Amino acid sequence: MNATAISCSNIAFIKYWGNTDPELRLAANPSLSMNLADLTVTATVQFHADFPADTLTINGKSVTGGAAKRVFRQMDIIRANAGFAHHARIATESNFPAGAGIASSAAAFSALAVAGATAAGLSLSEAELSALARRGSGSACRSVPAGFAQWPAGGADETSFAESIAPAGHWNLVDIVAIVSAKHKTVGSTGGHALADTSALQAARVATAAERFIAAKEAVLAKDLPALGPVIEEDTVLMHGVMMTSRPPLFYWQPATLAVIHAARRWRADGIPVYFTIDAGPNVHLICERPHADAVESLARALPGVQKTMRSGVGGGTQIINGECNYSGIRDKVTN
Ligand code: DP6
């Protein structure tokens, strides 16, 4: 009753922001993302009748409180499915530094779902594993399938899951993350989703999300960056518009965030096809094709206000790296 899984983080091109059901994490709008091969979390889950309580370590350190409870709740769902009450010993390790301003919840909860279900002896489909990952963190459902993934809006617990629209090898996109602040956010995504409906702009953002989703999906399938780029930038700014007009408002951007946005627009005018997207934080993800990645990374590093950069290509789906795997949906290996 022991399994280890590895999962990539992902960056959303069309953002999930707001829930129709916060408990089940059913999304207010469809979203689309790419897995990040080089930003991974490994999770090991062991169930045993002799364990007196659930325990969690993250990067070797014992964790209690809210973060641990959230993981234990995901284990409760797995235990209810498996029909036993054994406690779990859980360990996660990320390959990127904590405090880099990169959320690890998508990679962590997808790895935990697959490791936990496998350790519990459950035989779940990729869709069921994605739905299970979603219960821990909405965006985690998109890290279970390989490559580029879509997650529809609304639905019910069993029907809200992500699926791959193209494998990792489909397109040589690179995400260069310009880190402008590594500080822990005061309001995380879960708190932010709960505020989304307090913004007068959320209804308009949600009403037009399907159009952007379709345009972005077509652009990904066609490997057309000049078509994808403007849509992802507009979607990002709409989400941050909602954040900034929520009550209370959420201002994730720092002055350096805006400086990177302007720089990306300048580089584009100078002939480098690069586009920005920003999650619930101040750091800017610069999306380009591999032939331009070195130039974009060195330009980003030279900007005042950019502390460092991180870089990743497109990744595969969540994989079991030991233990019995009944899951046939794992198609692509994590690629670098
Ligand atoms: C801005 O999935 O982190 O990154 O379900 O509460 O864990 P929880 O939220 P989370 O929200 C992601 C928000 C986002 C956009 C996205 O990844 O789609």
Side-chain angles (χ1 to χ4, degrees), residues 187-275:
V187 179
S189 300
T190 307
H193 289 295
L195 293 175
D197 280 333
T198 65
S199 164
L201 304 181
Q202 172 71 349
R205 191 194 69 85
V206 169
T208 54
E211 281 165 37
R212 288 187 299 282
F213 171 82
I214 290 165
K217 180 174 171 178
E218 281 172 1
V220 167
L221 293 175
K223 296 185 262 184
D224 185 347
L225 189 57
L228 179 66
V231 183
I232 71 174
E233 291 191 348
E234 182 183 314
D235 193 78
T236 285
V237 177
L238 278 165
M239 180 183 72
H240 281 271
V242 167
M243 292 163 162
M244 291 178 202
T245 52
S246 290
R247 296 181 186 159
L250 294 174
F251 281 89
Y252 286 116
W253 290 6
Q254 296 292 325
T257 309
L258 204 49
V260 180
I261 291 174
H262 281 294
R265 292 166 60 90
R266 230 172 24 241
W267 301 333
R268 213 150 66 215
D270 292 343
I272 302 177
V274 56
Y275 296 85

Side-chain angles (χ1 to χ4, degrees), residues 81-100:
N81 273 348
F84 64 69
H86 302 344
H87 284 116
R89 193 174 280 171
I90 307 150
T92 70
E93 301 269 348
S94 57
N95 78 340
F96 48 96

Side-chain angles (χ1 to χ4, degrees), residues 10-19 22 25 29-33 70 103 105-106 109 133-142 151 185 188-194 235 239-240 243 252 278-281:
N10 70 72
I11 179 68
F13 292 155
I14 300 299
K15 308 292 187 187
Y16 148 54
W17 198 246
N19 288 299
R25 293 186 151 84
N29 63 273
S31 58
L32 185 78
S33 60
R70 191 166 162 183
S105 70
F109 281 102
R134 190 201 78 238
R135 298 292 298 275
S137 176
S139 56
C141 74
R142 297 188 310 241
W151 173 27
K185 321 179 257 217
S189 300
T190 307
H193 289 295
D235 193 78
M239 180 183 72
H240 281 271
M243 292 163 162
Y252 286 116
I278 307 165
D279 275 348

